[in-house]
Amino acid sequence: KQEVTQIPAALSVPEGENLVLNCSFTDSAIYNLQWFRQDPGKGLTSLLLIQSSQREQTSGRLNASLDKSSGRSTLYIAASQPGDSATYLCAVKETSGSRLTFGEGTQLTVNP
Amino acid sequence: GAVVSQHPSRVICKSGTSVKIECRSLDFQATTMFWYRQFPKQSLMLMATSNEGSKATYEQGVEKDKFLINHASLTLSTLTVTSAHPEDSSFYICSARSTGRVGQPQHFGDGTRLSIL
């Protein structure tokens, strides 16, 4: 059974700092991995999707990497801003038709 | 971009009431929609997978007679919490995947906060 772990569970940083969120998964045979953002009381916003054949994806100040063989993904946020404060979730899909398996999330607070 | 609309965003009702939550894909067709439940400070728990034109597939431990799912069209799935009780109070989130090309991201609604008094 696939298990997804995110470290740290919570992170507080000053504005402007670069930071890395970690996601690990137990079964490396994944189809894709997706990073989401969740604001309090809201649904999920998709940030980046990495297919199993890809090593990384970038969108603005966000960069997500994938190392399938070691079962790891990282989300790099450059020049963090208070508006980045949210919970970040990673999720893996094992086949094209399967469900997403979510990690517990990292709650990020960026202090002005 | 793709948008999933979920309605209502918040429901407060008395114990014993049945509550219906709608999930619509606004600019794409979704053969498959997913219903999740989220407890405070926890991740999403998949409740069921909704397939257009067929019966939903429920996860282990989820009562299908309690949580009725209907996916009558390629853009609409509904979740009805029947005879809701306080322990059903939670945040419910739907998600949809485009019927088109494989490998597309899954898109989520804004969630429904259900509070049963």
Side-chain angles (χ1 to χ4, degrees):
Chain A
K1 179 187 171 188
Q2 178 75 270
E3 293 183 3
V4 180
T5 304
Q6 289 186 245
I7 296 173
L11 181 63
S12 181
V13 300
E15 181 176 6
E17 194 162 297
N18 301 324
L19 57 100
V20 175
L21 307 181
N22 297 291
C23 173
S24 61
F25 44 95
T26 53
D27 187 343
S28 62
I30 65 169
Y31 182 77
N32 63 35
L33 182 146
Q34 202 166 349
W35 281 93
F36 295 91
R37 169 187 173 136
Q38 185 176 30
D39 293 291
K42 296 290 187 180
L44 275 64
T45 300
S46 178
L47 298 174
L48 291 164
L49 170 70
I50 311 178
Q51 303 294 351
S52 62
S53 59
Q54 297 174 325
R55 300 278 300 185
E56 66 176 352
Q57 283 287 328
T58 299
S59 175
R61 294 183 293 109
L62 305 180
N63 176 278
S65 67
L66 175 64
D67 184 343
K68 249 182 44 169
S69 60
S70 66
R72 290 190 214 165
S73 176
T74 61
L75 179 66
Y76 175 82
I77 303 177
S80 59
Q81 302 170 359
D84 295 330
S85 299
T87 296
Y88 290 81
L89 295 154
C90 75
V92 300
K93 186 186 288 281
E94 293 180 44
T95 66
S96 64
S98 69
R99 72 191 67 179
L100 286 173
T101 301
F102 282 88
E104 294 287 327
T106 294
Q107 186 174 356
L108 173 65
T109 303
V110 181
N111 301 300
Chain B
V3 176
V4 174
S5 173
Q6 192 172 336
H7 178 81
S9 59
R10 186 176 182 97
V11 180
I12 302 173
C13 58
K14 294 181 179 179
S15 183
T17 306
S18 292
V19 178
K20 180 185 282 188
I21 303 170
E22 290 188 349
C23 180
R24 294 180 185 272
S25 56
L26 295 185
D27 58 358
F28 65 97
Q29 293 186 331
T31 306
T32 304
M33 291 187 176
F34 304 89
W35 288 96
Y36 296 84
R37 184 173 180 174
Q38 187 177 33
F39 293 101
K41 297 197 182 297
Q42 293 188 23
S43 192
L44 280 70
M45 180 190 78
L46 181 65
M47 298 174 63
T49 301
S50 168
N51 300 295
E52 188 268 335
S54 64
K55 290 184 179 180
T57 303
Y58 289 82
E59 295 300 301
Q60 191 173 9
V62 178
E63 299 175 59
K64 60 180 181 181
D65 295 329
K66 174 75 169 176
F67 299 99
L68 300 178
I69 291 173
N70 183 280
H71 193 158
S73 76
L74 286 172
T75 59
L76 173 64
S77 176
T78 61
L79 168 68
T80 301
V81 183
T82 61
S83 187
H85 292 285
E87 59 266 28
D88 299 321
S89 298
S90 190
F91 192 57
Y92 293 86
I93 307 176
C94 74
S95 174
R97 190 172 65 213
S98 173
T99 302
R101 293 179 300 170
V102 295
Q104 293 300 301
Q106 210 165 301
H107 299 282
F108 287 76
D110 274 343
T112 297
R113 173 75 58 193
L114 177 61
S115 300
I116 307 298
L117 306 177

